[in-house]
Amino acid sequence: MEKEYDIIVAGGGIAGLTAGLGAARLGRSVMVLTGDVLGGHLLSIEKIEGYPGFEDGIAGYELCPMTQGQAAAAGAAFEMTEVSALKQDGDTWQVTTPAETYTARAVIIATGTSLKELGIPGEERLRGHGVSHCASCDAPLLRGKVVAVAGGGDAAAQEALTLSDAASKVVIFCREEALSAKADYRNRLEAHPNIEIGYNCVIDKIEGDDVVTGIVTHDIGGKSSVSLECDGVFIYVGHTPNTGFLEGLLDLAEDGRIPIDANLRSQAKGVFAAGTVRQGSAGQAASSAGDGWSAAIAADRYLADGGWRA
């Protein structure tokens, strides 16, 4: 039997959780559909900085459950299942998951992104044995060790700083001439005694039989190959939008994200997008939360104006 809601939110990161909270507080029946874990990438962030109301920062694994609790208290429902298809059915949307089909008059897409892989030898084989995407999870296991970080953006910077509290040395490998992380992070990385940064460097191979024992890198300009003994490799080289289930329904941007207007409306009537899955996202927790609330308001107004019949 199909379950009917005013609004369905696809995705349980901070954008989706805030959208669920906003929609529920506006009096709408709302279901938040997510994958195995509520919170998305933020669950692995030890300290989210710049989020309003938390002067000293807040851990993602504290912020996300807090937001979920607020949304549930306001009346939002949650199901731990991913959206596999979205289909228009008259003046409603059919939202399909592996186990259920839901009906909604409006849909907010907040499915976020997945971390990109390097695609190099040893990466997949040693995942969970030194290869990781979660510094807060694995840093305690690497106390006093040498670790490598691939990437030069905010995520790589945040995780390198988290790792530096435990590791004896953190070496960042950035394929560009400069880090793309915001200035505050760059300044802290460059001043940190336990952190080294290699610019124009690419990791070619992760070595080790049962656990990571080292990496092989090369300098983009000189092409020289260098080996580094290390016990962990943390990969933050970008994100891929989780929009595969929208293929054929929406015209996506070149990077796979969802184009939206100023009110977070996609080209499909009644479908909105929020957070890092939308084109032009700032990629910050605070902006994604703002997106979620704005999308809830936009969906509420859409329904109040008569939806498809307006």
Side-chain angles (χ1 to χ4, degrees):
M1 180 179 177
E2 294 180 354
K3 300 181 179 181
E4 299 184 7
Y5 295 89
D6 291 332
I7 300 171
I8 283 180
V9 178
I14 194 64
L17 294 173
T18 309
L21 170 60
R25 287 183 62 87
L26 289 165
R28 297 295 180 181
S29 60
V30 56
M31 168 65 76
V32 180
L33 302 174
T34 185
D36 295 334
V37 182
L38 284 163
H41 294 312
L42 291 188
L43 285 183
S44 67
I45 303 298
E46 185 72 27
K47 188 178 183 181
I48 300 169
E49 299 182 16
Y51 197 92
F54 299 95
E55 183 178 355
D56 297 323
I58 181 172
Y61 49 78
E62 294 177 353
L63 177 64
C64 295
M66 185 186 304
T67 309
Q68 179 197 358
Q70 287 181 288
F78 293 85
E79 289 287 350
M80 305 293 280
T81 183
E82 293 184 349
V83 175
S84 55
L86 185 62
K87 180 181 179 182
Q88 178 186 340
D89 184 14
D91 62 354
T92 63
W93 287 96
Q94 300 297 307
V95 184
T96 301
T97 73
E100 301 263 6
T101 298
Y102 302 82
T103 299
R105 293 194 290 146
V107 178
I108 298 172
I109 306 297
T111 46
T113 59
S114 297
L115 289 167
K116 289 183 178 179
E117 307 291 347
L118 291 172
I120 59 174
E123 181 179 20
E124 181 62 32
R125 180 173 56 82
L126 293 169
R127 188 178 314 284
H129 299 277
V131 175
S132 175
H133 290 294
C134 182
S136 61
C137 305
D138 295 331
L141 304 175
L142 295 164
R143 190 165 300 280
K145 307 289 187 179
V146 176
V147 298
V149 173
D154 284 351
Q158 284 178 306
E159 301 297 74
L161 289 167
T162 296
L163 288 164
S164 69
D165 290 336
S168 62
K169 183 167 72 171
V170 178
V171 185
I172 300 174
F173 293 90
C174 175
R175 67 179 299 119
E176 309 297 338
E177 294 182 355
L179 299 173
S180 60
K182 57 189 177 185
D184 177 60
Y185 286 144
R186 294 198 305 270
N187 294 337
R188 288 161 61 187
L189 290 173
E190 290 166 359
H192 201 292
N194 292 351
I195 296 176
E196 296 180 6
I197 306 173
Y199 298 103
N200 295 311
C201 288
V202 175
I203 301 176
D204 297 315
K205 180 182 179 182
I206 301 174
E207 299 183 312
D209 294 328
D210 300 315
V211 297
V212 170
T213 58
I215 57 174
V216 177
T217 73
H218 79 264
D219 179 270
I220 292 176
K223 302 294 183 180
S224 58
S225 180
V226 178
S227 295
L228 172 72
E229 292 184 3
C230 64
D231 299 277
V233 181
F234 292 76
I235 301 168
Y236 308 100
V237 291
H239 299 80
T240 301
N242 296 322
T243 52
F245 68 99
L246 298 173
E247 188 174 349
L249 177 66
L250 299 177
D251 292 329
L252 301 175
E254 187 175 345
D255 64 358
R257 287 175 167 80
I258 303 171
I260 45 90
D261 66 10
N263 294 309
L264 301 179
R265 296 177 297 195
S266 76
Q267 70 184 101
K269 198 170 184 180
V271 178
F272 305 80
T276 55
V277 76
R278 75 161 176 91
Q279 188 178 29
S281 169
Q284 302 295 312
S287 62
S288 291
D291 271 6
W293 200 279
S294 296
I297 292 172
D300 175 67
R301 289 175 178 169
Y302 165 80
L303 295 176
D305 289 342
W308 287 83
R309 293 174 291 281

